[in-house]
Amino acid sequence: MAHYPTLTYSTFKVQANGLPPELRVLPPLDTALPPAHDFELEEKVVRDYADSQAAAEKLAAQEASRIATATPVEAAESVSSCITDGVDSLTLDPEKKKKLSSMKEMTKGDEKTCISYLDSYSWDLQRAVQEYFTK
């Protein structure tokens, strides 16, 4: 029974004339069955994802609450900072730093505003500068 672990504790009724016609006996397997899969890693990934989603929802609720109680100017600044959070000149590659420097020089705008425009237009310097002066 080593080859058929699911049949280990099964019982069969054998009639006097042999096995019932609906029951077929197969020869033993030549190879052992693969070991049962351990889903620990998959379960951990699902738990971590659920935890990150819950944390993101909590953070979004806190930010929404803060914006709801803020003045219109504070709310606009908060939304603008959400767009550029995590993007600063220290984390940019050399090409993006060069574009940021060029935009700051052309527009005389602050770093955060320039990053926001460049990021909004996929770091297309011409479009970002054009939109900056359009608005």
Side-chain angles (χ1 to χ4, degrees):
M1 282 302 193
H3 294 293
Y4 300 100
T6 57
L7 300 177
T8 301
Y9 301 106
S10 301
T11 56
F12 299 95
K13 181 179 177 183
V14 179
Q15 300 174 352
N17 58 355
L19 294 172
E22 65 273 0
L23 181 64
R24 240 176 10 136
V25 176
L26 299 174
L29 294 174
D30 293 338
T31 59
L33 293 174
H37 183 74
D38 179 15
F39 289 96
E40 183 179 339
L41 177 62
E42 289 84 351
E43 291 168 349
K44 181 184 181 313
V45 169
V46 169
R47 280 192 310 271
D48 290 349
Y49 177 76
D51 292 345
S52 69
Q53 289 297 100
E57 289 173 6
K58 182 178 177 184
L59 185 62
Q62 289 172 344
E63 187 65 19
S65 171
R66 194 172 66 77
I67 290 173
T69 59
T71 66
V73 172
E74 290 171 336
E77 288 173 355
S78 178
V79 169
S80 175
S81 73
C82 287
I83 293 170
T84 58
D85 274 354
V87 179
D88 60 19
S89 61
L90 297 176
T91 61
L92 299 176
D93 61 47
E95 184 181 332
K96 289 181 178 180
K97 284 182 180 181
K98 185 177 177 183
K99 288 181 180 183
L100 175 61
S101 176
S102 296
M103 182 160 179
K104 285 171 57 178
E105 193 174 305
M106 286 187 261
T107 62
K108 305 297 184 219
D110 63 276
E111 185 172 290
K112 201 169 199 174
T113 302
C114 292
I115 289 175
S116 175
Y117 273 93
L118 285 165
D119 198 42
S120 297
Y121 294 98
S122 303
W123 291 86
D124 182 342
L125 181 60
Q126 284 184 314
R127 285 184 59 206
V129 170
Q130 184 179 2
E131 288 301 314
Y132 179 87
F133 286 115
T134 302
K135 295 181 179 186

